[in-house]
Amino acid sequence: MKKSTLFILFIIIFAGCSRDIPGWFHEYPHDHGDIVSISLRYETGSALENHSNNGINRLTVNTVLNTSSQNYSKDEIHRGLMNMAISEAVIPDVYVSTFIFRFHHDHFNAWFSLFADRLKHPLFLQDEMDVLAGDYKNDLEQRILFRSEDLSRDILIRTLFKDHPYESLPAGNPAAFSKFTSDDLKQWWKSHFSVNNLEIAVSGPLSQEEKTKLMELIDSFNPYVYPDNIKITEPDQSEGVRYVLVDNSDGVSALSLGWHIPYNRSDPEFYPLWIFASWLGEHRTFYGHLMKELRVKRGFNYGDYAYAEHFVQNSYSVFPHPGHPLNYQYFSVWVRPLNNQNLPFALRLVLHDLEQLKKTGLDSVSFEGTRTFLKSYINLYAGSQADFMGFNQDARFYGLKNFPESTLKMLDSLDFETANEIIKNSIDIENLAIVVVGGETDSLMKIIRSGARTDPVYKSSVPRDVRDRDKIISVYPFPEGKVETFSPSDFIMHK
């Protein structure tokens, strides 16, 4: 009798202390002692913006995180975060917007109080949001005017996805940031952020009571709001070759080129292209083909890389940042600034080698060696628990499970012959977007149209085999295409 009574009492207590785990709540094991990491991701982003309000999502989520709420002033929030060494960040992107928090478990209740008030009761004070808007406007203008290599990558996306929702970059349009009002942001937050379009990932020594407290808060966040699903049609992938030349009167030029690919991480066909991009050159690494050809052998510039998908650098590392998934991907090559007189030759070299690789693909030794390297390299992507959760959230976006295991499984499944055919067939030289940001673009335009020979200029001697190859590259014909010219100010005033 006593045992039965105790058992029933246990069941009652257990039922009162637990709740069903909602589908949007994901917990990951942790090995970081007392550190708690939380990633709150909403399915909303710049894909829902247009030219006139491009940047409103970025401004809204940053205003929520960095300005006053109903019970806390901006200074009180910042002072509390600093005193408790709480790390916060927000990543607004095309399809998703992610809030990231990292703190010591001892500070859970204090963090929760600050977080809950900002989540449910942001004030969107005009003077505070105007400061953020001014900062973003200035930063974008500086990027356009003085960071040619970053601008070249931005314009590449805009060119590939012209008249498509991807054309509205998550960072925003500088012309729009002076127009937003408090009411604009309130409406965006109310209509696009809800428990009905989010998922949360947690890792750390949270008690059941603390997890329940967090789930109940999220569960009560705009429960009757059902944000629009992001439905985007496939972009036009057959617009021919396009040259976009942006003259900033500088002595060096940056080059970005790319083309659409019909695959993303959810497709087995994507993974041969990941290997191909890695062979051409991982971000800020030395072993890639392009880095060897342009920097190591010829001393042209700082770096030359390739990407099989949209790439955003993770802080100052060499790895991608999670939180930037896309359904429609593009393959790109980034040649960092080099002397204007060597730009035509560098472009010819990239185009020449892509044409050759379209015919031959990779040899089996290069393919297998790069696959082996990539399988180890991917394991380094998640430099923190927050990154690990972010990459797993990205995997779920693509319908995959358990990063990096799902990626490694895809790479292991590849057959060389089949994968090589995918690589060759995916190089789309006939529909390239080629962006150059630098000086002397009038001269470059004449060279592109005339096909005039462009010998490289060296500051020191180079081996004979390099010069022999130069003779072929220097007369390689540029593909015919549409040429457009701009100045940086055209993108500042972009409406």
Side-chain angles (χ1 to χ4, degrees):
M1 184 69 176
K2 290 182 179 179
K3 289 184 177 179
S4 298
T5 302
L6 288 172
F7 178 75
I8 293 171
L9 181 62
F10 171 77
I11 293 296
I12 293 172
I13 293 172
F14 181 79
C17 294
S18 65
R19 57 163 287 168
D20 292 337
I21 304 299
W24 44 258
F25 189 91
H26 304 274
E27 186 172 7
Y28 293 90
H30 66 95
D31 55 3
H32 288 62
D34 294 323
I35 301 301
V36 176
S37 296
I38 297 175
S39 179
L40 186 68
R41 179 171 290 191
Y42 293 89
E43 294 180 6
T44 192
S46 63
L48 296 172
E49 299 173 348
N50 54 51
H51 288 303
S52 64
N53 72 351
N54 183 204
I56 191 171
N57 187 65
R58 178 191 183 192
L59 184 58
T60 299
V61 294
N62 277 280
T63 299
V64 168
L65 200 63
N66 296 301
T67 66
S68 300
S69 59
Q70 179 174 285
N71 295 304
Y72 297 98
S73 70
K74 179 181 69 173
D75 290 342
E76 287 174 329
I77 293 169
H78 290 172
R79 186 163 54 248
L81 297 175
M82 183 177 65
N83 290 342
M84 293 179 287
I86 296 176
S87 171
E88 296 188 337
V90 61
I91 307 169
D93 202 61
V94 177
Y95 286 99
V96 297
S97 299
T98 309
F99 293 84
I100 301 169
F101 308 95
R102 189 172 185 269
F103 51 88
H104 193 280
H105 179 244
D106 288 351
H107 300 312
F108 174 81
N109 287 328
W111 167 80
F112 184 87
S113 180
L114 292 172
F115 168 66
D117 205 55
R118 287 177 290 169
L119 180 74
K120 302 191 77 171
H121 307 293
L123 294 182
F124 295 108
L125 298 178
Q126 187 72 44
D127 59 336
E128 292 183 347
M129 58 163 278
D130 282 346
V131 173
L132 287 178
D135 288 344
Y136 297 151
K137 180 177 184 292
N138 291 336
D139 180 68
L140 286 170
E141 289 176 350
Q142 294 296 307
R143 183 182 180 94
I144 291 170
L145 292 173
F146 303 113
R147 302 208 294 271
S148 60
E149 55 186 355
D150 293 331
L151 180 60
S152 72
R153 298 173 71 191
D154 292 345
I155 296 175
L156 176 64
I157 298 171
R158 286 181 166 173
T159 304
L160 286 171
F161 296 98
K162 184 175 176 57
D163 300 324
H164 185 271
Y166 287 11
E167 185 182 6
S168 296
L169 301 180
N173 168 14
F177 279 111
S178 58
K179 302 177 182 178
F180 296 128
T181 68
S182 174
D183 287 341
D184 292 334
L185 271 60
K186 288 177 182 177
Q187 182 59 36
W188 188 268
W189 180 248
K190 179 181 178 181
S191 59
H192 293 87
F193 294 83
S194 160
V195 64
N196 298 307
N197 71 330
L198 68 72
E199 67 169 22
I200 185 170
V202 302
S203 177
L206 294 177
S207 66
Q208 183 59 49
E209 180 183 358
E210 290 166 335
K211 286 183 280 189
T212 298
K213 187 177 181 180
L214 185 57
M215 283 187 278
E216 288 176 346
L217 170 68
I218 300 300
D219 215 17
S220 65
F221 176 57
N222 289 349
Y224 303 111
V225 174
Y226 291 86
D228 295 336
N229 293 326
I230 299 179
K231 297 179 180 179
I232 297 178
T233 58
E234 187 175 351
D236 186 355
Q237 301 185 18
S238 57
E239 294 189 353
V241 175
R242 288 145 291 166
Y243 296 91
V244 179
L245 311 182
V246 182
D247 199 307
N248 61 8
S249 302
D250 203 347
V252 295
S253 295
L255 165 66
S256 290
L257 64 83
W259 62 91
H260 294 280
I261 57 173
Y263 313 118
N264 62 38
R265 290 194 195 187
S266 66
D267 302 303
E269 296 88 348
F270 170 79
Y271 294 85
L273 299 181
W274 201 341
I275 291 174
F276 178 48
S278 185
W279 178 83
L280 283 174
E282 290 279 356
H283 184 70
R284 297 183 67 185
T285 61
F286 268 90
Y287 80 93
H289 170 76
L290 294 175
M291 182 71 112
K292 292 175 183 175
E293 290 295 324
L294 293 172
R295 174 172 174 171
V296 176
K297 293 181 180 179
R298 294 173 173 82
F300 277 177
N301 63 352
Y302 179 80
D304 311 281
Y305 324 118
Y307 312 94
E309 62 182 352
H310 181 58
F311 179 91
V312 177
Q313 180 177 311
N314 193 340
S315 298
Y316 296 100
S317 77
V318 299
F319 303 112
H321 201 298
H324 304 277
L326 292 180
N327 280 330
Y328 305 112
Q329 290 289 358
Y330 61 99
F331 194 103
S332 63
V333 171
W334 186 31
V335 176
R336 302 187 72 174
L338 69 167
N339 193 299
N340 289 335
Q341 56 192 335
N342 282 328
L343 187 283
F345 179 88
L347 175 55
R348 275 179 150 142
L349 187 148
V350 173
L351 294 172
H352 171 273
D353 287 5
L354 285 174
E355 183 184 50
Q356 295 304 306
L357 289 162
K358 184 172 179 61
K359 296 175 182 177
T360 65
L362 300 181
D363 62 75
S364 60
V365 174
S366 297
F367 181 88
E368 295 299 345
T370 306
R371 170 160 56 180
T372 299
F373 165 81
L374 191 56
K375 287 169 60 180
S376 297
Y377 198 64
I378 287 171
N379 283 313
L380 303 177
Y381 274 19
S384 68
Q385 195 68 2
D387 286 345
F388 177 74
M389 294 191 302
F391 283 117
N392 273 280
Q393 288 177 312
D394 288 352
R396 283 196 296 277
F397 177 91
Y398 293 114
L400 304 172
K401 297 180 180 179
N402 301 328
F403 179 89
E405 289 83 0
S406 59
T407 299
L408 299 176
K409 184 178 179 180
M410 288 283 201
L411 290 170
D412 280 333
S413 69
L414 297 177
D415 166 73
F416 167 67
E417 295 294 341
T418 303
N420 214 27
E421 286 303 310
I422 292 171
I423 291 172
K424 290 188 290 184
N425 292 333
S426 297
I427 300 174
D428 191 359
I429 295 176
E430 295 180 355
N431 292 289
L432 283 173
I434 300 168
V435 178
V436 176
V437 180
E440 303 178 43
T441 58
D442 286 344
S443 174
L444 175 60
M445 181 168 59
K446 292 176 182 178
I447 293 170
I448 291 171
R449 287 175 168 166
S450 69
R453 182 187 184 97
T454 54
D455 293 311
V457 177
Y458 296 116
K459 294 183 178 180
S460 59
S461 61
V462 297
R464 181 169 181 174
D465 63 319
V466 173
R467 287 201 172 273
D468 288 343
R469 179 160 143 80
D470 287 352
K471 295 175 183 177
I472 299 172
I473 302 297
S474 62
V475 294
Y476 178 80
F478 289 103
E480 293 185 5
K482 179 181 179 181
V483 181
E484 296 180 283
T485 59
F486 299 93
S487 69
S489 60
D490 293 325
F491 298 95
I492 291 178
M493 300 307 294
H494 178 65
K495 303 296 183 182

